[in-house]
Amino acid sequence: FYGYDTEMSFEYANAYIQHSSSIGNIALKAEPLLWGNGKTPIILSDNVPPFAMLSWDKYLGKSRFSFFHGSILPAESNPIINGLITSEAKYLVGHRWEIAASEKLQVAFTEMLVYGGRDPELMYFLPTIFLWPVQHNMTSQSEDNILWFIEGQYFPRNGLKLYGTFMIDELKTSEMFNDWFGNRWAAQIGSHVAGNIFSYPTDIRLEWTGARPWAYTHRVPLYGTYTHNGRCLGFEHGSNSQFLIMENRWWINTRNRLSISFEQLKWGEEPEEDMADNFDFGNDTNHNYNLANPEYQNNTGWLIGDIQTMQTVQFLWEYQLSNIIGLELGFAHIKEMAESVNTMSLQVNVDY
């Protein structure tokens, strides 16, 4: 399973019940939810299957406020009698405020909270409350995990968008510009331009995303990591990685679309000499940052360890046969370190 956009299973069902009125939209749902302005979002991405949630959103002038409280799964499960699988309680809370500052500038602030190991907290169901002070006072040592995201997108002219997102998890001003392992941050910048060339609609996207070591992790991994069933809720490549994508798409007609893309993924692996030290390395979102090797405490840059690189050039032809049936023919050249692989794929999509 690699995200609900490309899921290869019929076991992930989607459904919703929604009531809309002057007070906003209230819904009980298990539907895909993307938060972020990039192709590979770092807030909520398609890296996990949809999860059940209670949500509310409301437009207020030139802004929109969104809230949800959802039930997610920890990375570890406990099989019991008759094969029934049970899991510890784990929850995700999200607050998001999107504001159109002007015709060309839009900004957003998102506050996410992960908690578990107990019944749902009624306080976290209040949409208008600021989560950080509640979390800080509710648990003795801030066991619940808070992450902040700041976004912006700017349209300098028609057809051109510049955008960026920055994630803050732990903020110690004296260490902001140092290689401190506690700077558990992620960042994304990009540009997207669209227009017509020779009367054909086309667009070009350039995007870079980086997640520092220990990003999305927590010192209580079972309840606090930013994961659902062990998979990162945000940046799909997880901690200690960087991803660059350049993509060009062409709409030939209403049924045919062509695209070519170049992707470069870099990630850090734990050096062989460190594997037996009983410390976590920070390249897995399910790691415990309290188990970080003290030797790396002030020596943790944006990438650490043995750096691996994978580059992919992909060509894709998409044909919409009908309203519910689509065909995709793809070719990809993948180069990973000293090895190269060519792949071809034929895919039939049925969306009903």
Side-chain angles (χ1 to χ4, degrees):
F1 179 82
Y2 295 99
Y4 53 72
D5 278 349
T6 52
E7 64 184 66
M8 299 182 182
S9 172
F10 291 98
E11 297 181 356
Y12 297 98
N14 304 332
Y16 71 94
I17 301 174
Q18 178 172 299
H19 173 72
S20 300
S21 67
S22 59
I23 65 171
N25 304 307
I26 302 174
L28 179 63
K29 60 185 180 181
E31 285 280 300
L33 180 62
L34 285 175
W35 278 3
N37 50 24
K39 184 176 177 66
T40 54
I42 65 173
I43 306 176
L44 288 175
S45 68
D46 68 348
N47 194 42
V48 299
F51 50 90
M53 69 179 75
L54 176 67
S55 69
W56 172 70
D57 67 88
K58 167 70 175 176
Y59 280 94
L60 301 167
K62 294 184 178 181
S63 68
R64 182 175 71 167
F65 180 79
S66 303
F67 154 84
F68 74 84
H69 188 293
S71 177
I72 57 179
L73 296 174
E76 302 175 9
S77 299
N78 301 307
I80 59 171
I81 300 175
N82 298 325
L84 178 64
I85 298 177
T86 62
S87 299
E88 295 281 349
K90 186 177 181 182
Y91 307 99
L92 180 68
V93 184
H95 291 175
R96 179 173 172 84
W97 195 292
E98 302 166 88
I99 302 173
S102 69
E103 293 183 356
K104 294 186 175 184
L105 178 63
Q106 299 173 4
V107 296
F109 172 74
T110 302
E111 188 179 28
M112 306 295 291
L113 181 141
V114 188
Y115 75 102
R118 58 190 192 271
D119 293 334
E121 294 284 359
L122 186 60
M123 185 72 79
Y124 289 152
F125 281 88
L126 296 175
T128 55
I129 202 165
F130 195 41
L131 293 174
W132 184 85
V134 176
Q135 170 263 355
H136 189 72
N137 291 300
M138 184 174 294
T139 57
S140 60
Q141 296 181 12
S142 302
E143 282 86 356
D144 301 342
N145 189 13
I146 285 274
L147 298 93
W148 288 348
F149 298 86
I150 300 171
E151 295 173 81
Q153 54 185 25
Y154 178 64
F155 300 85
R157 62 177 179 82
N158 291 337
L160 175 61
K161 179 175 78 169
L162 307 176
Y163 59 90
T165 306
F166 190 71
M167 182 191 87
I168 301 174
D169 182 9
E170 191 70 35
L171 182 61
K172 190 174 181 180
T173 55
S174 62
E175 299 285 356
M176 288 179 59
F177 302 103
N178 299 327
D179 290 333
W180 183 49
F181 86 109
N183 293 330
R184 301 187 295 274
W185 304 340
Q188 180 177 85
I189 56 173
S191 63
H192 186 203
V193 59
N196 292 307
I197 299 179
F198 302 119
S199 74
Y200 292 108
T202 184
D203 73 343
I204 300 174
R205 182 189 296 271
L206 175 64
E207 181 178 289
W208 177 88
T209 308
R212 287 178 56 90
W214 305 104
Y216 301 112
T217 65
H218 195 249
R219 59 189 177 80
V220 187
L222 185 63
Y223 307 129
T225 58
Y226 196 68
T227 61
H228 172 33
N229 204 19
R231 298 180 65 88
C232 184
L233 287 155
F235 185 41
E236 62 183 70
H237 301 293
S239 314
N240 199 24
S241 66
Q242 297 180 4
F243 183 65
L244 173 69
I245 181 171
M246 294 180 285
E247 181 184 51
N248 180 209
R249 298 181 297 178
W250 294 78
W251 283 261
I252 307 303
N253 52 43
T254 56
R255 293 182 181 270
N256 289 274
R257 185 173 72 178
L258 300 175
S259 65
I260 178 174
S261 64
F262 169 79
E263 300 176 358
Q264 178 176 274
L265 173 64
K266 290 185 176 183
W267 71 98
E269 294 184 349
E270 186 173 11
E272 186 175 354
E273 60 269 22
D274 292 339
M275 291 183 178
D277 60 9
N278 294 322
F279 291 109
D280 283 350
F281 193 65
N283 59 339
D284 185 330
T285 49
N286 295 291
H287 278 178
N288 182 345
Y289 61 71
N290 267 358
L291 297 180
N293 190 330
E295 294 181 4
Y296 287 93
Q297 183 166 350
N298 295 301
N299 192 29
T300 300
W302 278 82
L303 280 179
I304 60 174
D306 293 335
I307 308 304
Q308 309 293 311
T309 302
M310 182 172 66
Q311 296 177 333
T312 303
V313 177
Q314 180 172 311
F315 300 88
L316 182 65
W317 169 58
E318 300 171 82
Y319 180 74
Q320 194 65 36
L321 186 63
S322 68
N323 289 336
I324 63 173
I325 300 177
L327 305 176
E328 294 185 11
L329 178 63
F331 169 81
H333 174 74
I334 304 171
K335 181 180 180 182
E336 184 175 347
M337 306 307 287
E339 182 180 3
S340 295
V341 177
N342 295 319
T343 66
M344 292 192 68
S345 63
L346 176 62
Q347 182 171 313
V348 179
N349 299 320
V350 181
D351 187 2
Y352 62 94

